[in-house]
Amino acid sequence: MNLILIILCYGVHAIGYVLTQREESRYGDNVPIFYSLRSVLDVFYTRPNAGRPDTQKILYAFENYCFSHFSKPLYKQRKPFIVVEGDHKTSIDIISRRLARRIGATLLQSVAKCLQPYKRVFPQGDPLRRAFYGLSMYAIAHKVKQVYNRYPVVTNGYWIEQSVFGIGNQFQTIEEIPPSGHPLYSWPDDLLKPDLIVYVTFPDNLHLTGTTRPPNAWKKRLEYIYRQILDPPVVILSTAPGFDNVTADIEDIVQERFAGKLDVNFLPNETI
């Protein structure tokens, strides 16, 4: 078997991965969650994926465009890394953008800029689509490390979002979902952990379009899963009071938690 050696410049450390065999999710294939960069890359290098031109282009972009060749020193004090997630994409896009402006943060999208041209290559349900978003998480983590010595960073989606989706698909009722503290919720050892995750719910009665789906049939399940996650901490809010109010609430939480501890310099609390 051919050995594939990939050396990535990750922060100030060089990480080498030698892929000699398939690395399974630690909980098997029933819960499709990636717990390491190695397991993500393995999907791309498994036949027949390895020979596809689109996967080769994505891997080339990941290795050559997503990682800086120049490492910046890590300082004792830095700015916070905040993730905003939720059950309504448009709401999350609006709230994360407004939050970033209010606290003077760098905003990163859920797909890293270096991989944006390949965002729609893989269809829904394709394992390579999940692996693509896995690569993007590691690219985002590297970008955060390049920025958060100077500025806070806000992303609209990260590892928990992808993992909760997989858990929610596997367990169809709240009673089946593993409790808080279960290893299923363990954060990957090689992925930068955010300081705070905010999960924002969008009430069904705020939807303007009709739907045949029973109200909150899946939202309650996803919210329950988020409530089981203890590390990193998750704050759950609702958009019912309006985007401006929920954004202001998040800003207040960030200021309370990080203003002294992480030497954060905030902009005035103004409506944008």
Side-chain angles (χ1 to χ4, degrees):
M1 177 179 296
N2 294 330
L3 300 182
I4 303 172
L5 178 63
I6 300 175
I7 304 294
L8 299 177
C9 179
Y10 190 73
V12 295
H13 304 286
I15 301 177
Y17 290 92
V18 180
L19 306 185
T20 59
Q21 60 184 2
R22 186 175 180 217
E23 178 183 342
E24 302 285 353
S25 161
R26 69 179 71 171
Y27 301 105
D29 292 332
N30 289 332
V31 181
I33 301 173
F34 295 115
Y35 290 94
S36 68
L37 177 57
R38 175 179 176 176
S39 61
V40 175
L41 291 169
D42 190 60
V43 177
F44 284 93
Y45 284 108
T46 300
R47 294 181 180 179
N49 297 338
R52 293 175 51 167
D54 49 9
T55 61
Q56 293 178 1
K57 290 179 180 179
I58 289 170
L59 287 174
Y60 181 86
F62 180 70
E63 296 175 38
N64 292 277
Y65 304 143
C66 294
F67 292 84
S68 171
H69 295 291
F70 302 97
S71 299
K72 295 184 178 181
L74 296 178
Y75 299 99
K76 292 183 179 180
Q77 289 187 318
R78 61 171 177 79
K79 312 302 183 181
F81 172 26
I82 303 158
V83 175
V84 180
E85 300 179 349
D87 55 25
H88 189 252
K89 185 179 185 305
T90 301
S91 300
I92 299 311
D93 288 344
I94 294 171
I95 292 169
S96 59
R97 183 171 64 252
R98 292 184 182 183
L99 176 66
R101 292 178 65 184
R102 292 170 72 112
I103 67 174
T106 296
L107 176 64
L108 301 179
Q109 301 298 325
S110 57
V111 176
K113 186 176 181 180
C114 57
L115 296 176
Q116 279 285 342
Y118 310 101
K119 183 177 180 179
R120 293 180 174 84
V121 169
F122 307 117
Q124 292 282 354
D126 189 333
L128 279 167
R129 183 180 177 87
R130 287 183 49 254
F132 172 80
Y133 277 92
L135 285 183
S136 182
M137 288 185 292
Y138 283 90
I140 290 172
H142 178 75
K143 183 62 177 179
V144 173
K145 284 189 172 184
Q146 296 293 302
V147 173
Y148 73 170
N149 286 330
R150 296 184 61 192
Y151 305 105
V153 180
V154 174
T155 69
N156 59 357
Y158 200 49
W159 183 81
I160 290 292
E161 180 179 59
Q162 300 297 319
S163 303
V164 168
F165 182 78
I167 297 170
N169 281 340
Q170 175 63 24
F171 302 105
Q172 298 302 308
T173 66
I174 288 179
E175 291 72 22
E176 296 177 290
I177 296 171
S180 179
H182 192 280
L184 189 64
Y185 306 115
S186 300
W187 192 269
D189 292 335
D190 62 350
L191 182 65
L192 181 66
K193 186 184 297 185
D195 300 295
L196 174 67
I197 296 176
V198 179
Y199 180 71
V200 183
T201 64
F202 188 76
D204 281 318
N205 57 11
L206 294 183
H207 284 285
L208 300 179
T209 57
T211 177
T212 58
R213 185 193 299 270
N216 291 321
W218 56 279
K219 290 183 180 180
K220 287 183 178 179
R221 203 162 71 248
L222 295 185
E223 182 178 336
Y224 180 84
I225 297 171
Y226 271 91
R227 291 188 182 278
Q228 308 314 304
I229 300 168
L230 302 178
D231 185 25
V234 178
V235 173
I236 299 178
L237 300 173
S238 171
T239 59
F243 292 155
D244 285 339
N245 288 328
V246 73
T247 304
D249 289 343
I250 298 173
E251 181 182 4
D252 288 343
I253 292 169
V254 172
Q255 291 207 43
E256 180 182 350
R257 295 197 179 192
F258 305 120
K261 181 179 179 182
L262 295 179
D263 188 34
V264 180
N265 299 318
F266 292 96
L267 296 178
N269 189 343
E270 300 174 349
T271 301
I272 295 176

